[in-house]
PDB file of all heavy atoms in Angstrom:
ATOM      1  N   ARG S 918      -5.257  14.352 109.216  1.00 97.00           N
ATOM      2  CA  ARG S 918      -6.040  13.848 108.083  1.00 97.00           C
ATOM      3  C   ARG S 918      -6.502  12.408 108.317  1.00 97.00           C
ATOM      4  O   ARG S 918      -7.633  12.043 107.979  1.00 97.00           O
ATOM      5  CB  ARG S 918      -5.222  13.947 106.798  1.00 97.00           C
ATOM      6  CG  ARG S 918      -5.068  15.378 106.305  1.00 97.00           C
ATOM      7  CD  ARG S 918      -4.359  15.469 104.986  1.00 97.00           C
ATOM      8  NE  ARG S 918      -2.914  15.303 105.116  1.00 97.00           N
ATOM      9  CZ  ARG S 918      -2.234  14.252 104.723  1.00 97.00           C
ATOM     10  NH1 ARG S 918      -2.855  13.214 104.187  1.00 97.00           N
ATOM     11  NH2 ARG S 918      -0.919  14.198 104.874  1.00 97.00           N
ATOM     12  N   PHE S 919      -5.643  11.595 108.912  1.00 98.00           N
ATOM     13  CA  PHE S 919      -5.991  10.195 109.129  1.00 98.00           C
ATOM     14  C   PHE S 919      -7.079  10.051 110.195  1.00 98.00           C
ATOM     15  O   PHE S 919      -7.983   9.222 110.061  1.00 98.00           O
ATOM     16  CB  PHE S 919      -4.746   9.399 109.533  1.00 98.00           C
ATOM     17  CG  PHE S 919      -3.864   9.023 108.372  1.00 98.00           C
ATOM     18  CD1 PHE S 919      -3.958   9.672 107.153  1.00 98.00           C
ATOM     19  CD2 PHE S 919      -2.924   8.012 108.493  1.00 98.00           C
ATOM     20  CE1 PHE S 919      -3.147   9.333 106.079  1.00 98.00           C
ATOM     21  CE2 PHE S 919      -2.112   7.644 107.429  1.00 98.00           C
ATOM     22  CZ  PHE S 919      -2.223   8.314 106.217  1.00 98.00           C
ATOM     23  N   VAL S 920      -6.994  10.848 111.257  1.00 97.00           N
ATOM     24  CA  VAL S 920      -8.023  10.793 112.295  1.00 97.00           C
ATOM     25  C   VAL S 920      -9.361  11.267 111.734  1.00 97.00           C
ATOM     26  O   VAL S 920     -10.415  10.668 112.003  1.00 97.00           O
ATOM     27  CB  VAL S 920      -7.604  11.631 113.515  1.00 97.00           C
ATOM     28  CG1 VAL S 920      -8.784  11.855 114.457  1.00 97.00           C
ATOM     29  CG2 VAL S 920      -6.477  10.942 114.268  1.00 97.00           C
ATOM     30  N   GLN S 921      -9.337  12.320 110.942  1.00 97.00           N
ATOM     31  CA  GLN S 921     -10.563  12.792 110.309  1.00 97.00           C
ATOM     32  C   GLN S 921     -11.160  11.717 109.406  1.00 97.00           C
ATOM     33  O   GLN S 921     -12.377  11.519 109.371  1.00 97.00           O
ATOM     34  CB  GLN S 921     -10.284  14.060 109.510  1.00 97.00           C
ATOM     35  CG  GLN S 921      -9.995  15.281 110.374  1.00 97.00           C
ATOM     36  CD  GLN S 921      -9.573  16.476 109.547  1.00 97.00           C
ATOM     37  OE1 GLN S 921      -9.909  16.584 108.371  1.00 97.00           O
ATOM     38  NE2 GLN S 921      -8.833  17.382 110.155  1.00 97.00           N
ATOM     39  N   GLU S 922     -10.299  11.009 108.685  1.00 96.00           N
ATOM     40  CA  GLU S 922     -10.765   9.951 107.795  1.00 96.00           C
ATOM     41  C   GLU S 922     -11.417   8.822 108.605  1.00 96.00           C
ATOM     42  O   GLU S 922     -12.460   8.281 108.210  1.00 96.00           O
ATOM     43  CB  GLU S 922      -9.606   9.401 106.982  1.00 96.00           C
ATOM     44  CG  GLU S 922      -9.975   8.316 105.984  1.00 96.00           C
ATOM     45  CD  GLU S 922     -10.870   8.810 104.878  1.00 96.00           C
ATOM     46  OE1 GLU S 922     -10.812  10.012 104.539  1.00 96.00           O
ATOM     47  OE2 GLU S 922     -11.674   8.000 104.344  1.00 96.00           O
ATOM     48  N   ALA S 923     -10.805   8.463 109.736  1.00 97.00           N
ATOM     49  CA  ALA S 923     -11.375   7.414 110.580  1.00 97.00           C
ATOM     50  C   ALA S 923     -12.728   7.833 111.133  1.00 97.00           C
ATOM     51  O   ALA S 923     -13.680   7.044 111.158  1.00 97.00           O
ATOM     52  CB  ALA S 923     -10.415   7.082 111.720  1.00 97.00           C
ATOM     53  N   GLU S 924     -12.827   9.084 111.574  1.00 96.00           N
ATOM     54  CA  GLU S 924     -14.105   9.578 112.086  1.00 96.00           C
ATOM     55  C   GLU S 924     -15.163   9.610 111.000  1.00 96.00           C
ATOM     56  O   GLU S 924     -16.304   9.188 111.211  1.00 96.00           O
ATOM     57  CB  GLU S 924     -13.905  10.975 112.684  1.00 96.00           C
ATOM     58  CG  GLU S 924     -13.076  10.988 113.954  1.00 96.00           C
ATOM     59  CD  GLU S 924     -12.758  12.392 114.442  1.00 96.00           C
ATOM     60  OE1 GLU S 924     -12.842  13.348 113.625  1.00 96.00           O
ATOM     61  OE2 GLU S 924     -12.413  12.533 115.620  1.00 96.00           O
ATOM     62  N   TYR S 925     -14.797  10.110 109.835  1.00 95.00           N
ATOM     63  CA  TYR S 925     -15.741  10.185 108.722  1.00 95.00           C
ATOM     64  C   TYR S 925     -16.204   8.795 108.298  1.00 95.00           C
ATOM     65  O   TYR S 925     -17.344   8.614 107.870  1.00 95.00           O
ATOM     66  CB  TYR S 925     -15.091  10.902 107.537  1.00 95.00           C
ATOM     67  CG  TYR S 925     -16.014  11.051 106.350  1.00 95.00           C
ATOM     68  CD1 TYR S 925     -16.965  12.073 106.309  1.00 95.00           C
ATOM     69  CD2 TYR S 925     -15.952  10.175 105.266  1.00 95.00           C
ATOM     70  CE1 TYR S 925     -17.819  12.210 105.233  1.00 95.00           C
ATOM     71  CE2 TYR S 925     -16.807  10.296 104.184  1.00 95.00           C
ATOM     72  CZ  TYR S 925     -17.736  11.312 104.176  1.00 95.00           C
ATOM     73  OH  TYR S 925     -18.597  11.444 103.114  1.00 95.00           O
ATOM     74  N   SER S 926     -15.315   7.803 108.426  1.00 94.00           N
ATOM     75  CA  SER S 926     -15.655   6.435 108.037  1.00 94.00           C
ATOM     76  C   SER S 926     -16.572   5.748 109.043  1.00 94.00           C
ATOM     77  O   SER S 926     -17.021   4.628 108.809  1.00 94.00           O
ATOM     78  CB  SER S 926     -14.382   5.592 107.862  1.00 94.00           C
ATOM     79  OG  SER S 926     -13.576   6.105 106.821  1.00 94.00           O
ATOM     80  N   GLY S 927     -16.819   6.404 110.174  1.00 94.00           N
ATOM     81  CA  GLY S 927     -17.750   5.853 111.141  1.00 94.00           C
ATOM     82  C   GLY S 927     -17.119   5.074 112.268  1.00 94.00           C
ATOM     83  O   GLY S 927     -17.820   4.341 112.973  1.00 94.00           O
ATOM     84  N   ALA S 928     -15.800   5.205 112.475  1.00 95.00           N
ATOM     85  CA  ALA S 928     -15.145   4.480 113.563  1.00 95.00           C
ATOM     86  C   ALA S 928     -15.628   5.024 114.905  1.00 95.00           C
ATOM     87  O   ALA S 928     -15.547   6.226 115.162  1.00 95.00           O
ATOM     88  CB  ALA S 928     -13.637   4.608 113.455  1.00 95.00           C
ATOM     89  N   SER S 929     -16.125   4.142 115.752  1.00 93.00           N
ATOM     90  CA  SER S 929     -16.612   4.554 117.074  1.00 93.00           C
ATOM     91  C   SER S 929     -15.507   4.521 118.115  1.00 93.00           C
ATOM     92  O   SER S 929     -15.631   5.134 119.178  1.00 93.00           O
ATOM     93  CB  SER S 929     -17.766   3.651 117.513  1.00 93.00           C
ATOM     94  OG  SER S 929     -17.368   2.293 117.551  1.00 93.00           O
ATOM     95  N   HIS S 930     -14.443   3.802 117.853  1.00 95.00           N
ATOM     96  CA  HIS S 930     -13.285   3.743 118.745  1.00 95.00           C
ATOM     97  C   HIS S 930     -12.030   3.946 117.899  1.00 95.00           C
ATOM     98  O   HIS S 930     -11.862   3.275 116.883  1.00 95.00           O
ATOM     99  CB  HIS S 930     -13.200   2.396 119.457  1.00 95.00           C
ATOM    100  CG  HIS S 930     -14.431   2.052 120.244  1.00 95.00           C
ATOM    101  ND1 HIS S 930     -14.704   2.593 121.469  1.00 95.00           N
ATOM    102  CD2 HIS S 930     -15.465   1.233 119.953  1.00 95.00           C
ATOM    103  CE1 HIS S 930     -15.851   2.125 121.922  1.00 95.00           C
ATOM    104  NE2 HIS S 930     -16.340   1.290 121.016  1.00 95.00           N
ATOM    105  N   ILE S 931     -11.174   4.862 118.335  1.00 97.00           N
ATOM    106  CA  ILE S 931      -9.936   5.145 117.599  1.00 97.00           C
ATOM    107  C   ILE S 931      -8.766   5.082 118.572  1.00 97.00           C
ATOM    108  O   ILE S 931      -8.776   5.725 119.626  1.00 97.00           O
ATOM    109  CB  ILE S 931      -9.986   6.524 116.915  1.00 97.00           C
ATOM    110  CG1 ILE S 931     -11.124   6.574 115.898  1.00 97.00           C
ATOM    111  CG2 ILE S 931      -8.649   6.836 116.243  1.00 97.00           C
ATOM    112  CD1 ILE S 931     -11.319   7.938 115.254  1.00 97.00           C
ATOM    113  N   ARG S 932      -7.758   4.283 118.214  1.00 97.00           N
ATOM    114  CA  ARG S 932      -6.554   4.164 119.033  1.00 97.00           C
ATOM    115  C   ARG S 932      -5.362   4.665 118.229  1.00 97.00           C
ATOM    116  O   ARG S 932      -5.194   4.291 117.068  1.00 97.00           O
ATOM    117  CB  ARG S 932      -6.318   2.718 119.458  1.00 97.00           C
ATOM    118  CG  ARG S 932      -5.095   2.537 120.372  1.00 97.00           C
ATOM    119  CD  ARG S 932      -4.913   1.096 120.785  1.00 97.00           C
ATOM    120  NE  ARG S 932      -3.774   0.926 121.693  1.00 97.00           N
ATOM    121  CZ  ARG S 932      -3.359  -0.241 122.146  1.00 97.00           C
ATOM    122  NH1 ARG S 932      -3.985  -1.357 121.784  1.00 97.00           N
ATOM    123  NH2 ARG S 932      -2.315  -0.313 122.956  1.00 97.00           N
ATOM    124  N   VAL S 933      -4.549   5.505 118.858  1.00 98.00           N
ATOM    125  CA  VAL S 933      -3.368   6.073 118.202  1.00 98.00           C
ATOM    126  C   VAL S 933      -2.141   5.674 119.009  1.00 98.00           C
ATOM    127  O   VAL S 933      -2.094   5.889 120.232  1.00 98.00           O
ATOM    128  CB  VAL S 933      -3.467   7.609 118.111  1.00 98.00           C
ATOM    129  CG1 VAL S 933      -2.290   8.167 117.314  1.00 98.00           C
ATOM    130  CG2 VAL S 933      -4.790   8.029 117.474  1.00 98.00           C
ATOM    131  N   ALA S 934      -1.155   5.086 118.344  1.00 98.00           N
ATOM    132  CA  ALA S 934       0.035   4.615 119.049  1.00 98.00           C
ATOM    133  C   ALA S 934       1.291   4.927 118.253  1.00 98.00           C
ATOM    134  O   ALA S 934       1.284   4.906 117.018  1.00 98.00           O
ATOM    135  CB  ALA S 934      -0.057   3.112 119.322  1.00 98.00           C
ATOM    136  N   GLY S 935       2.366   5.223 118.980  1.00 98.00           N
ATOM    137  CA  GLY S 935       3.653   5.488 118.361  1.00 98.00           C
ATOM    138  C   GLY S 935       4.654   4.431 118.768  1.00 98.00           C
ATOM    139  O   GLY S 935       4.516   3.792 119.817  1.00 98.00           O
ATOM    140  N   THR S 936       5.677   4.256 117.945  1.00 97.00           N
ATOM    141  CA  THR S 936       6.649   3.190 118.195  1.00 97.00           C
ATOM    142  C   THR S 936       8.064   3.756 118.396  1.00 97.00           C
ATOM    143  O   THR S 936       8.270   4.631 119.217  1.00 97.00           O
ATOM    144  CB  THR S 936       6.592   2.147 117.074  1.00 97.00           C
ATOM    145  OG1 THR S 936       6.760   2.797 115.791  1.00 97.00           O
ATOM    146  CG2 THR S 936       5.250   1.424 117.069  1.00 97.00           C
ATOM    147  N   SER S 937       9.018   3.261 117.644  1.00 97.00           N
ATOM    148  CA  SER S 937      10.432   3.483 117.935  1.00 97.00           C
ATOM    149  C   SER S 937      10.832   4.950 118.065  1.00 97.00           C
ATOM    150  O   SER S 937      11.527   5.321 119.012  1.00 97.00           O
ATOM    151  CB  SER S 937      11.287   2.806 116.858  1.00 97.00           C
ATOM    152  OG  SER S 937      12.661   3.053 117.074  1.00 97.00           O
ATOM    153  N   ALA S 938      10.427   5.800 117.131  1.00 97.00           N
ATOM    154  CA  ALA S 938      10.871   7.198 117.167  1.00 97.00           C
ATOM    155  C   ALA S 938      10.420   7.897 118.447  1.00 97.00           C
ATOM    156  O   ALA S 938      11.208   8.584 119.109  1.00 97.00           O
ATOM    157  CB  ALA S 938      10.360   7.950 115.943  1.00 97.00           C
ATOM    158  N   LEU S 939       9.166   7.711 118.815  1.00 98.00           N
ATOM    159  CA  LEU S 939       8.649   8.382 120.005  1.00 98.00           C
ATOM    160  C   LEU S 939       9.237   7.810 121.291  1.00 98.00           C
ATOM    161  O   LEU S 939       9.420   8.539 122.263  1.00 98.00           O
ATOM    162  CB  LEU S 939       7.119   8.294 120.035  1.00 98.00           C
ATOM    163  CG  LEU S 939       6.379   9.175 119.025  1.00 98.00           C
ATOM    164  CD1 LEU S 939       4.876   8.936 119.101  1.00 98.00           C
ATOM    165  CD2 LEU S 939       6.690  10.652 119.248  1.00 98.00           C
ATOM    166  N   ARG S 940       9.523   6.520 121.322  1.00 97.00           N
ATOM    167  CA  ARG S 940      10.063   5.958 122.566  1.00 97.00           C
ATOM    168  C   ARG S 940      11.564   6.187 122.724  1.00 97.00           C
ATOM    169  O   ARG S 940      12.072   6.149 123.845  1.00 97.00           O
ATOM    170  CB  ARG S 940       9.723   4.480 122.707  1.00 97.00           C
ATOM    171  CG  ARG S 940      10.373   3.528 121.751  1.00 97.00           C
ATOM    172  CD  ARG S 940      10.078   2.060 122.137  1.00 97.00           C
ATOM    173  NE  ARG S 940      10.562   1.136 121.122  1.00 97.00           N
ATOM    174  CZ  ARG S 940       9.805   0.540 120.222  1.00 97.00           C
ATOM    175  NH1 ARG S 940       8.499   0.761 120.200  1.00 97.00           N
ATOM    176  NH2 ARG S 940      10.337  -0.274 119.323  1.00 97.00           N
ATOM    177  N   SER S 941      12.296   6.429 121.634  1.00 96.00           N
ATOM    178  CA  SER S 941      13.745   6.597 121.743  1.00 96.00           C
ATOM    179  C   SER S 941      14.191   8.054 121.781  1.00 96.00           C
ATOM    180  O   SER S 941      15.279   8.353 122.287  1.00 96.00           O
ATOM    181  CB  SER S 941      14.450   5.882 120.582  1.00 96.00           C
ATOM    182  OG  SER S 941      14.077   6.447 119.338  1.00 96.00           O
TER     183      SER S 941
END
């Protein structure tokens, strides 16, 4: 839903990053 919202809002560049849970 968040990626769709960013695309709909007109974002030309989208970066997705994870922190503690994904690295541990």
Side-chain angles (χ1 to χ4, degrees):
R918 287 185 282 108
F919 280 18
V920 167
Q921 289 174 25
E922 182 65 28
E924 291 173 340
Y925 181 81
S926 297
S929 58
H930 303 282
I931 299 175
R932 182 179 182 184
V933 185
T936 54
S937 177
L939 287 177
R940 68 172 173 258
S941 63

